[in-house]
Amino acid sequence: MTKGKVDALLGIVFGDEGKGKVVDVFTPRYDIVARFAGGPNAGHTIIFDGKKYVLRSIPSGIFDTGKINIIGNGCVIAPDLFMAEAKELEAAGYDIKSRLHISKRAHLILPTHRLLDRAYEAAKGKNKVGTTGKGIGPTYSEKAARTSLRVGDILERFEEKYLALKARHEQILRDLNFTGYDITEEEQLWMKGVEYMRQFKLSDTETEINKALREGKNVLAEGAQGTMLDIDHGTYPYVSSSNTVSGGVCTGLGVAPNTIGEIYGIFKAYSTRVGSGPFPVELFDATGDKIREIGHEYGAVTGRNRRCGWLDLVALKYAIMINGVTQLIMMKSDVLDTFDTIRVCIAYTKDGQTTTDMPYDTEGWQAVYKDLPGWNTDLTAMTSADQFPAELKAYISFIEAETHVPITIVSVGPDRAQTIEL
Ligand code: IMP
């Protein structure tokens, strides 16, 4: 953590690593916490004092009442969902209006974008991506097509702009034979959300962040999703629609590459994936079910079963390379407390060929495993790395030796307090 720098905290596999919890732990060390990509497809869970919060668009630094939180230009935002999320925090006693700033350059998710998400998925049949249905893909597509609406648009002649875009969407939906929907109520709520958003500071957040950096303040960029869901580097087309990698911090916040400091890569002690797409380490047996049960691996946004498997070092090393990860954070280590053997995928194999480099298409590749002894010890009450069993220490050392990056934090449970710095 260096003054005047932007540190990034990134999910480096398929998301759902527990970024929310770590951002919440890190926030006291930063002046600003900012989201730079994604939208309400994310579900960042934070648990403290026996209460659980799930944040979707709002940065996880919001619980520290002295800190500014920013939704950056690289994000997409749905006013109705934003309002529901923000009001929940207000009801819990958090005064967020003065501390949450939203980029005027962030793009708006319309109710019809969500319909388009459903219509495009339906048209794909068995090749569907398995999106969260939040309109992410259609909104980012329109951003690239230069037809989208941005948060700054709500400040003038908004209705006219909204109706024109909605009419365009309705035409596309008719062309796709996607009919029979009624969004009247949803649209009313969405418009209320737009009104509500006007009460927040809608600003040129890139200027604000850069001024803060010049004053020696520091920023934590909170990632969403994970590297393998990145639009360029993930398992395309089974990916989300934004740059979730460290490069996305620069474009999604408007900060130069030389402002980036530490890059924290967050991963789970095992692997999960939600939605469709290749997943070489996927377990279809009782071990996969056991990991899902113990790890409560059900989607925070959609409630879907997460697909589970052992740690994938091919993916991890690839993500470390793409992001320039300087420190690793291993989450949910306690989920592996009751396994006699812990497997780690060290390579992929297909048709007699073996690789440790991420292939262009991971479809059809099988995992090659190395077996390590499990620790068979309850980690959840541990407060220091000195208490770690030898097998966990060996697991950590093995990952460090393979990736050449230190693991500096190990999480042993969902609570803030169950976070051990090494
Ligand atoms: P979308 O982002 O809703 O378009 O979904 C695209 C793919 O990314 C789907 O496979 C989703 O399940 C996955 N995805 C999107 N957001 C998250 C997340 O926050 N965690 C894990 N997977 C996600």
Side-chain angles (χ1 to χ4, degrees):
M1 192 261 295
T2 323
K3 287 284 169 196
K5 288 281 183 192
V6 182
D7 291 344
L9 183 104
L10 309 169
I12 53 170
V13 198
F14 283 108
D16 306 319
E17 294 91 353
K19 289 176 282 286
K21 173 185 152 167
V22 179
V23 174
D24 179 55
V25 170
F26 275 13
T27 300
R29 305 168 200 181
Y30 291 88
D31 299 295
I32 296 174
V33 180
R35 278 275 306 270
F36 62 89
N41 48 348
H44 293 176
T45 307
I46 294 141
I47 302 173
F48 59 92
D49 299 341
K51 283 199 205 113
K52 175 175 164 178
Y53 299 90
V54 180
L55 297 175
R56 304 184 191 290
S57 291
I58 297 175
S60 308
I62 201 70
F63 299 101
D64 186 333
T65 54
K67 302 299 160 75
I68 298 293
N69 283 251
I70 287 178
I71 298 178
N73 61 277
C75 297
V76 289
I77 184 161
D80 50 349
L81 301 184
F82 168 75
M83 177 170 68
E85 185 181 335
K87 283 198 164 170
E88 210 173 301
L89 294 177
E90 288 186 311
Y94 291 96
D95 170 21
I96 60 170
K97 290 212 177 84
S98 57
R99 297 189 294 116
L100 179 59
H101 304 173
I102 306 172
S103 170
K104 284 196 275 191
R105 289 170 173 75
H107 285 249
L108 290 172
I109 303 174
L110 271 58
T112 39
H113 280 131
R114 297 193 283 245
L115 289 176
L116 286 169
D117 204 356
R118 279 168 49 197
Y120 291 143
E121 282 282 76
K124 284 187 175 137
K126 67 176 176 36
N127 295 324
K128 72 177 171 31
V129 176
T131 73
T132 59
K134 303 291 176 198
I136 305 295
T139 307
Y140 278 114
S141 305
E142 285 209 313
K143 172 181 176 175
R146 297 155 296 187
T147 48
S148 176
L149 289 175
R150 298 186 292 173
V151 168
D153 283 309
I154 71 174
L155 299 174
E156 58 179 292
R157 294 188 300 108
F158 182 61
E159 191 160 340
E160 177 188 326
K161 293 182 248 182
Y162 170 80
L163 291 174
L165 187 54
K166 180 183 154 190
R168 231 174 72 82
H169 291 166
E170 285 172 333
Q171 181 58 51
I172 302 170
L173 289 164
R174 274 194 296 277
D175 292 346
L176 288 168
N177 280 326
F178 193 88
T179 51
Y181 56 83
D182 178 4
I183 53 163
T184 322
E185 265 181 47
E186 195 176 326
E187 198 175 26
Q188 280 166 2
L189 197 62
W190 193 89
M191 283 298 178
K192 277 193 188 148
V194 168
E195 279 306 312
Y196 177 75
M197 265 175 64
R198 288 195 179 110
Q199 300 169 32
F200 286 77
K201 184 172 172 192
L202 310 180
S203 72
D204 299 309
T205 50
E206 66 284 4
T207 305
E208 190 182 339
I209 291 174
N210 280 287
K211 270 189 191 154
L213 291 173
R214 280 199 299 276
E215 287 164 10
K217 295 192 172 140
N218 60 355
V219 177
L220 181 64
E222 174 180 2
Q225 291 82 46
T227 298
M228 300 316 296
L229 292 173
D230 179 270
I231 184 78
D232 284 279
H233 300 288
T235 55
Y236 191 89
Y238 301 101
V239 291
S240 195
S241 300
S242 62
N243 281 118
T244 60
V245 297
S246 55
V249 174
C250 294
T251 53
L253 291 181
V255 294
N258 62 359
T259 63
I260 306 292
E262 291 292 326
I263 300 175
Y264 299 99
I266 178 165
F267 70 104
K268 279 191 274 214
Y270 52 93
S271 302
T272 60
R273 170 165 206 171
V274 214
S276 323
F279 189 35
V281 291
E282 184 165 15
L283 293 169
F284 298 96
D285 56 8
T287 306
D289 295 343
K290 182 173 167 184
I291 294 176
R292 182 178 309 108
E293 273 311 301
I294 301 176
H296 308 291
E297 294 296 353
Y298 305 96
V301 174
T302 58
R304 287 178 289 181
N305 273 8
R306 292 184 185 144
R307 302 155 68 193
C308 296
W310 297 112
L311 181 65
D312 181 347
L313 280 182
V314 178
L316 203 67
K317 286 180 186 173
Y318 177 74
I320 288 169
M321 172 182 83
I322 295 291
N323 293 292
V325 170
T326 58
Q327 296 186 41
L328 285 168
I329 299 177
M330 185 164 83
M331 306 299 289
K332 298 187 95 164
S333 315
D334 55 299
V335 173
L336 300 187
D337 278 358
T338 56
F339 291 83
D340 292 331
T341 300
I342 293 176
R343 312 195 86 186
V344 182
C345 165
I346 50 169
Y348 294 161
T349 182
K350 182 164 129 179
D351 303 332
Q353 214 191 325
T354 300
T355 181
T356 52
D357 292 328
M358 180 59 68
Y360 165 75
D361 181 359
T362 49
E363 196 77 69
W365 290 86
Q366 308 279 320
V368 178
Y369 293 105
K370 178 176 171 64
D371 289 354
L372 297 170
W375 43 89
N376 270 313
T377 309
D378 179 2
L379 302 179
T380 54
M382 293 191 179
T383 51
S384 130
D386 302 338
Q387 299 165 304
F388 283 172
E391 294 84 355
L392 172 59
K393 287 183 181 160
Y395 190 60
I396 292 170
S397 301
F398 178 71
I399 298 167
E400 290 181 330
E402 287 283 320
T403 58
H404 307 290
V405 181
I407 297 181
T408 54
I409 293 179
V410 172
S411 174
V412 295
D415 200 275
R416 245 184 207 172
Q418 293 167 302
T419 312
I420 300 177
E421 303 211 24
L422 269 54

